[in-house]
Amino acid sequence: MPKRIETLVLHDSTTPVIGDIEKGGSVVLTTVETLINQARANSLWPLTFGLACCAIEMMSTVASRFDLSRFGSEAFRATPRQADVMIIAGRVSKKMAPVLRQIYDQMPEPKWVISMGACASSGGVYNNYAIVQGADQVVPVDVYVPGCPPSPDALMFGVLKLQEKIKRQKAKTLADLRLVDLKPQARAEA
Ligand code: SF4
Protein backbone atom coordinates (compact mmCIF):
# COMPACT_ATOMS: atom_id res chain seq x y z
CA MET A 1 0.00 0.00 0.00
CA PRO A 2 1.48 3.44 -0.89
CA LYS A 3 2.26 5.77 1.98
CA ARG A 4 -0.54 8.26 2.53
CA ILE A 5 -0.07 10.85 5.25
CA GLU A 6 -2.58 13.68 5.58
CA THR A 7 -1.46 17.23 6.27
CA LEU A 8 -3.33 18.89 9.11
CA VAL A 9 -3.62 22.44 10.33
CA LEU A 10 -2.92 22.45 14.06
CA HIS A 11 -3.22 26.00 15.32
CA ASP A 12 -1.73 29.47 14.95
CA SER A 13 1.87 30.59 14.53
CA THR A 14 2.33 31.60 18.17
CA THR A 15 2.50 27.93 19.10
CA PRO A 16 6.09 26.76 19.72
CA VAL A 17 7.56 24.31 17.23
CA ILE A 18 7.49 20.78 18.60
CA GLY A 19 9.83 18.10 17.30
CA ASP A 20 9.80 18.02 13.52
CA ILE A 21 6.46 19.76 13.24
CA GLU A 22 6.77 22.27 10.48
CA LYS A 23 5.69 25.89 10.81
CA GLY A 24 4.21 27.38 7.68
CA GLY A 25 2.73 30.91 7.24
CA SER A 26 0.22 31.60 9.94
CA VAL A 27 -0.37 27.96 10.76
CA VAL A 28 1.55 25.00 12.07
CA LEU A 29 1.60 22.06 9.72
CA THR A 30 2.22 18.49 10.67
CA THR A 31 1.29 14.99 9.69
CA VAL A 32 -0.90 12.37 11.26
CA GLU A 33 2.24 10.33 11.74
CA THR A 34 3.95 13.08 13.73
CA LEU A 35 0.87 13.72 15.82
CA ILE A 36 0.56 10.06 16.69
CA ASN A 37 4.25 9.80 17.54
CA GLN A 38 4.09 12.87 19.76
CA ALA A 39 1.02 11.57 21.57
CA ARG A 40 2.54 8.16 22.13
CA ALA A 41 5.94 9.44 23.22
CA ASN A 42 4.53 11.85 25.77
CA SER A 43 2.06 9.49 27.41
CA LEU A 44 4.05 6.31 28.07
CA TRP A 45 2.42 4.13 30.70
CA PRO A 46 5.00 1.84 32.29
CA LEU A 47 4.23 -1.64 33.50
CA THR A 48 5.03 -2.28 37.14
CA PHE A 49 7.62 -5.01 36.80
CA GLY A 50 10.27 -4.84 39.49
CA LEU A 51 12.45 -7.94 39.74
CA ALA A 52 15.20 -6.93 42.20
CA CYS A 53 17.03 -4.00 43.79
CA CYS A 54 16.79 -1.82 40.66
CA ALA A 55 13.05 -1.65 41.31
CA ILE A 56 13.66 0.57 44.33
CA GLU A 57 15.28 3.15 42.05
CA MET A 58 12.43 2.72 39.56
CA MET A 59 9.92 3.51 42.31
CA SER A 60 11.91 6.62 43.22
CA THR A 61 11.48 8.06 39.73
CA VAL A 62 7.78 8.59 40.34
CA ALA A 63 8.27 10.05 43.82
CA SER A 64 8.24 13.78 44.40
CA ARG A 65 12.02 14.32 44.25
CA PHE A 66 12.38 13.11 40.65
CA ASP A 67 8.75 13.22 39.46
CA LEU A 68 8.55 11.26 36.23
CA SER A 69 5.11 12.77 35.69
CA ARG A 70 6.87 15.80 34.21
CA PHE A 71 7.39 13.58 31.17
CA GLY A 72 3.96 11.98 31.14
CA SER A 73 5.03 8.56 32.42
CA GLU A 74 3.93 8.45 36.03
CA ALA A 75 0.93 6.17 35.46
CA PHE A 76 2.47 2.81 36.35
CA ARG A 77 -0.05 0.08 35.61
CA ALA A 78 -0.48 -3.22 37.42
CA THR A 79 -1.82 -4.99 34.36
CA PRO A 80 -0.04 -5.45 31.02
CA ARG A 81 -3.24 -4.67 29.14
CA GLN A 82 -3.05 -1.03 30.28
CA ALA A 83 0.69 -0.51 29.78
CA ASP A 84 2.82 0.25 26.72
CA VAL A 85 6.34 0.28 28.15
CA MET A 86 7.86 -2.53 30.18
CA ILE A 87 10.68 -1.44 32.49
CA ILE A 88 12.65 -4.56 33.39
CA ALA A 89 14.13 -3.52 36.73
CA GLY A 90 16.44 -6.21 38.03
CA ARG A 91 17.88 -9.59 37.15
CA VAL A 92 15.74 -12.00 35.13
CA SER A 93 15.93 -15.53 36.43
CA LYS A 94 15.42 -18.42 34.03
CA LYS A 95 12.35 -19.35 36.01
CA MET A 96 10.92 -15.86 35.52
CA ALA A 97 11.77 -15.60 31.80
CA PRO A 98 8.59 -17.34 30.49
CA VAL A 99 6.49 -15.14 32.78
CA LEU A 100 8.25 -12.04 31.48
CA ARG A 101 7.53 -13.11 27.91
CA GLN A 102 3.88 -13.87 28.62
CA ILE A 103 3.34 -10.49 30.24
CA TYR A 104 5.07 -8.81 27.29
CA ASP A 105 2.80 -10.69 24.88
CA GLN A 106 -0.26 -9.49 26.81
CA MET A 107 0.68 -5.82 26.35
CA PRO A 108 -1.19 -4.19 23.45
CA GLU A 109 0.66 -2.80 20.43
CA PRO A 110 2.54 -0.55 20.11
CA LYS A 111 4.81 -1.42 23.02
CA TRP A 112 8.39 -0.82 24.08
CA VAL A 113 10.90 -2.22 26.57
CA ILE A 114 13.49 -0.52 28.77
CA SER A 115 16.14 -2.75 30.29
CA MET A 116 17.15 -1.15 33.58
CA GLY A 117 20.50 -1.98 35.14
CA ALA A 118 23.43 -4.27 34.50
CA CYS A 119 21.58 -7.40 35.60
CA ALA A 120 18.62 -6.94 33.26
CA SER A 121 20.85 -5.93 30.34
CA SER A 122 23.60 -8.54 30.65
CA GLY A 123 23.16 -10.65 33.77
CA GLY A 124 25.47 -8.29 35.66
CA VAL A 125 27.47 -10.00 38.37
CA TYR A 126 25.19 -13.04 38.18
CA ASN A 127 27.03 -15.04 35.57
CA ASN A 128 25.56 -18.35 36.64
CA TYR A 129 23.08 -21.06 35.65
CA ALA A 130 20.06 -19.34 37.20
CA ILE A 131 20.10 -15.90 35.56
CA VAL A 132 19.30 -14.95 31.95
CA GLN A 133 22.35 -13.18 30.53
CA GLY A 134 20.38 -10.30 29.05
CA ALA A 135 16.65 -9.59 28.87
CA ASP A 136 16.97 -9.24 25.10
CA GLN A 137 17.13 -13.03 24.96
CA VAL A 138 13.47 -13.01 26.04
CA VAL A 139 11.91 -9.77 24.72
CA PRO A 140 13.06 -7.09 22.24
CA VAL A 141 14.70 -4.25 24.15
CA ASP A 142 14.51 -0.64 22.92
CA VAL A 143 16.64 1.18 25.51
CA TYR A 144 19.34 -0.07 27.88
CA VAL A 145 19.99 1.92 31.05
CA PRO A 146 23.48 1.14 32.46
CA GLY A 147 24.42 1.06 36.14
CA CYS A 148 24.16 -0.99 39.30
CA PRO A 149 21.75 0.33 40.21
CA PRO A 150 21.02 3.12 37.73
CA SER A 151 19.92 6.26 39.54
CA PRO A 152 16.36 7.52 39.05
CA ASP A 153 17.87 10.26 36.88
CA ALA A 154 19.42 7.60 34.64
CA LEU A 155 16.09 5.85 34.22
CA MET A 156 14.44 9.15 33.39
CA PHE A 157 17.14 9.73 30.77
CA GLY A 158 16.28 6.30 29.39
CA VAL A 159 12.61 7.29 29.17
CA LEU A 160 13.60 10.46 27.31
CA LYS A 161 15.72 8.41 24.90
CA LEU A 162 12.73 6.14 24.29
CA GLN A 163 10.59 9.21 23.63
CA GLU A 164 13.12 10.36 21.01
CA LYS A 165 13.05 6.96 19.38
CA ILE A 166 9.24 6.93 19.22
CA LYS A 167 9.15 10.43 17.75
CA ARG A 168 11.55 9.29 14.98
CA GLN A 169 9.37 6.35 13.95
CA LYS A 170 8.39 6.38 10.28
CA ALA A 171 5.36 4.56 8.92
CA LYS A 172 5.72 2.99 5.48
CA THR A 173 2.14 1.75 5.42
CA LEU A 174 -1.08 2.50 7.29
CA ALA A 175 -0.60 -0.72 9.24
CA ASP A 176 2.73 0.62 10.56
CA LEU A 177 0.83 3.32 12.45
CA ARG A 178 -0.72 0.50 14.48
CA LEU A 179 -3.94 2.39 15.12
CA VAL A 180 -5.96 -0.80 15.41
CA ASP A 181 -5.17 -4.20 16.81
CA LEU A 182 -4.68 -6.33 13.72
CA LYS A 183 -4.73 -9.62 15.62
CA PRO A 184 -7.44 -9.35 18.29
CA GLN A 185 -8.11 -13.07 18.04
CA ALA A 186 -4.50 -13.97 18.79
CA ARG A 187 -4.47 -11.63 21.80
CA ALA A 188 -7.65 -13.12 23.21
CA GLU A 189 -6.03 -16.53 23.11
CA ALA A 190 -2.87 -15.30 24.86
S1 SF4 B 1 21.98 -4.04 38.51
FE1 SF4 B 1 22.62 -3.93 40.67
S2 SF4 B 1 20.89 -2.89 41.68
FE2 SF4 B 1 20.13 -3.68 39.71
S3 SF4 B 1 19.26 -5.69 40.14
FE3 SF4 B 1 21.42 -5.98 39.55
S4 SF4 B 1 22.54 -6.01 41.49
FE4 SF4 B 1 20.53 -5.10 41.90
Side-chain angles (χ1 to χ4, degrees), residues 32-159:
V32 171
E33 182 184 53
T34 306
L35 274 178
I36 291 171
N37 287 347
Q38 288 284 342
R40 285 175 173 163
N42 293 297
S43 62
L44 290 168
W45 284 17
L47 177 72
T48 308
F49 203 75
L51 288 167
C53 10
C54 274
I56 304 296
E57 304 297 320
M58 180 180 70
M59 289 179 234
S60 300
T61 58
V62 287
S64 55
R65 182 169 178 188
F66 298 98
D67 196 12
L68 192 57
S69 64
R70 289 178 291 151
F71 305 104
S73 298
E74 80 282 15
F76 274 70
R77 311 310 294 172
T79 166
R81 292 181 173 85
Q82 296 173 357
D84 54 8
V85 56
M86 173 186 267
I87 300 175
I88 306 174
R91 53 191 171 265
V92 182
S93 69
K94 291 194 175 166
K95 199 171 182 181
M96 183 57 90
V99 180
L100 181 83
R101 181 68 209 197
Q102 183 172 12
I103 291 175
Y104 174 80
D105 287 341
Q106 288 174 341
M107 291 167 64
E109 291 280 357
K111 54 191 170 187
W112 301 274
V113 176
I114 295 176
S115 176
M116 180 183 181
C119 289
S121 300
S122 66
V125 294
Y126 301 97
N127 186 8
N128 60 39
Y129 65 89
I131 301 299
V132 176
Q133 300 298 296
D136 52 8
Q137 295 180 16
V138 184
V139 292
V141 174
D142 295 282
V143 174
Y144 296 87
V145 180
C148 175
S151 64
D153 317 66
L155 178 58
M156 289 171 77
F157 186 68
V159 172

Side-chain angles (χ1 to χ4, degrees), residues 178-190:
R178 292 180 287 181
L179 294 173
V180 293
D181 192 345
L182 298 175
K183 295 177 184 171
Q185 187 65 34
R187 194 168 314 290
E189 291 167 0

